[in-house]
């Protein structure tokens, strides 16, 4: 059994990772070997009651420090409670040059957890592929089936070798940031997504796997998108 919701909340407060920014090196092998698509998720039966407000209502708290300043310096509109707002949709561009021109982001624990997941899970993917991974994580935060914080979702099952939701958190390898440019890009994408950028790429996906594998559960889950080397799915109950 994975940690209950109360444990996930405690984990969220303590999950800031110490990053070592080193010179560029080959991507870790697990970049495309994620088990984040594992359908075994925390069920909240018997767990302490969590924050049942809709995700949009909790957005400001989840976004953490740095959100307003980042959006202002990037020339982006204020976040909308409707993530499909047309003004916001047109303002966000899934282009590497546009992302690279954004200002350096700041943030707290939730931002770091999301940036880390984007980096280790999808740093070799185009911007759309990285955004898609972020969408899955935030869709899980938004779901009553999973922990209600980014760090809780990302570290769900961590400590159980190869039984976590995101392989890099439980594969025994050091979580070392070696590619500065990729890390900077992941941080900007994480900042945008936490600030309420529309989730328009994956159709509400809560799971994904690489095209190199074909898990049995995929046949039972609605397939919502294929982006880069990842196939995305929405859990029937989500």
């Amino acid at each position: 059994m994975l940690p209950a919701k109360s444990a996930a909340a405690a984990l969220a407060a303590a999950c800031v990772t110490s990053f070592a920014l080193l010179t560029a090196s080959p991507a870790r092998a697990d970049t495309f070997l994620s088990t984040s698509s594992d359908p075994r998720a925390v069920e909240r039966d018997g767990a302490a009651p969590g924050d049942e407000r809709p995700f949009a209502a909790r957005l400001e708290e989840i976004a953490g420090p740095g959100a307003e300043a980042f959006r202002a310096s990037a020339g982006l509109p204020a976040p909308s409670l409707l993530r499909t707002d047309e003004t916001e949709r047109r303002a966000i561009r899934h282009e590497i040059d546009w992302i690279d021109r954004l200002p350096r982001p700041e943030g707290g624990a939730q931002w770091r957890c999301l940036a880390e997941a984007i980096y280790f899970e999808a740093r070799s993917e185009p911007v759309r592929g990285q955004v898609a991974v972020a969408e899955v994580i935030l869709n899980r935060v938004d779901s009553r089936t999973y922990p209600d914080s980014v760090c809780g979702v990302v570290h769900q099952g961590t400590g159980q070798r190869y039984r976590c939701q995101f392989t890099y958190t439980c594969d025994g390898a050091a979580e070392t940031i070696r590619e500065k440019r990729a890390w900077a890009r992941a941080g900007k994408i994480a900042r945008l997504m936490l600030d309420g950028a529309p989730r328009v790429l994956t159709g509400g996906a809560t799971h994904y796997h690489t095209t190199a594998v074909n898990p049995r559960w995929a046949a039972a889950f609605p397939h919502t998108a294929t982006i880069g080397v990842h196939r995305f799915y929405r859990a029937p109950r989500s």
Side-chain angles (χ1 to χ4, degrees):
M1 178 66 67
L2 300 180
K5 185 176 181 63
S6 57
L11 177 60
C15 70
V16 178
T17 304
S18 296
F19 296 116
L21 292 176
L22 306 176
T23 57
S25 63
R28 280 213 349 224
D30 66 321
T31 299
F32 297 133
L33 296 177
S34 171
T35 55
S36 57
S37 310
D38 190 337
R40 294 169 301 190
V42 170
E43 296 293 343
R44 292 178 173 174
D45 295 339
D51 192 336
E52 300 298 337
R53 290 177 296 162
F55 180 87
R58 296 185 284 121
L59 183 60
E60 184 175 352
E61 298 170 17
I62 294 172
E68 185 175 350
F70 177 81
R71 297 182 67 88
S73 60
L76 299 173
S80 169
L81 294 184
L82 298 175
R83 294 188 294 276
T84 56
D85 177 77
E86 283 301 321
T87 300
E88 185 80 0
R89 186 195 299 267
R90 287 192 292 268
I92 303 299
R93 293 162 56 185
H94 300 136
E95 301 170 6
I96 193 168
D97 290 342
W98 185 81
I99 294 293
D100 286 346
R101 288 196 298 268
L102 293 176
R104 182 177 178 178
E106 297 180 359
Q110 305 304 314
W111 168 75
R112 285 186 175 271
C113 284
L114 185 57
E116 178 191 274
I118 293 169
Y119 176 87
F120 284 114
E121 292 284 302
R123 68 182 180 274
S124 298
E125 288 287 273
V127 171
R128 284 171 57 86
Q130 296 183 52
V131 170
V133 166
E135 285 191 17
V136 167
I137 293 169
L138 295 180
N139 288 340
R140 287 190 173 201
V141 175
D142 208 6
S143 170
R144 302 178 73 174
T145 305
Y146 302 92
D148 66 359
S149 71
V150 174
C151 292
V153 165
V154 169
H155 290 275
Q156 187 176 22
T158 299
Q160 304 178 60
R161 190 69 178 265
Y162 294 120
R163 290 182 62 84
C164 56
Q165 297 293 298
F166 293 84
T167 305
Y168 79 90
T169 69
C170 66
D171 62 2
E175 295 165 17
T176 303
I177 306 296
R178 297 184 183 277
E179 300 176 31
K180 290 193 234 184
R181 182 172 296 181
W183 168 244
R185 205 167 282 151
K188 292 174 183 180
I189 292 171
R191 182 75 273 166
L192 286 170
M193 298 306 293
L194 282 176
D195 292 353
R199 297 178 226 160
V200 296
L201 299 180
T202 64
T206 53
H207 296 72
Y208 63 85
H209 66 78
T210 71
T211 54
V213 299
N214 186 28
R216 287 178 295 177
W217 58 262
F221 283 27
H223 173 238
T224 61
T226 298
I227 301 174
V229 300
H230 289 122
R231 289 175 61 84
F232 295 85
Y233 301 81
R234 184 177 60 253
R237 293 180 297 171
S238 297

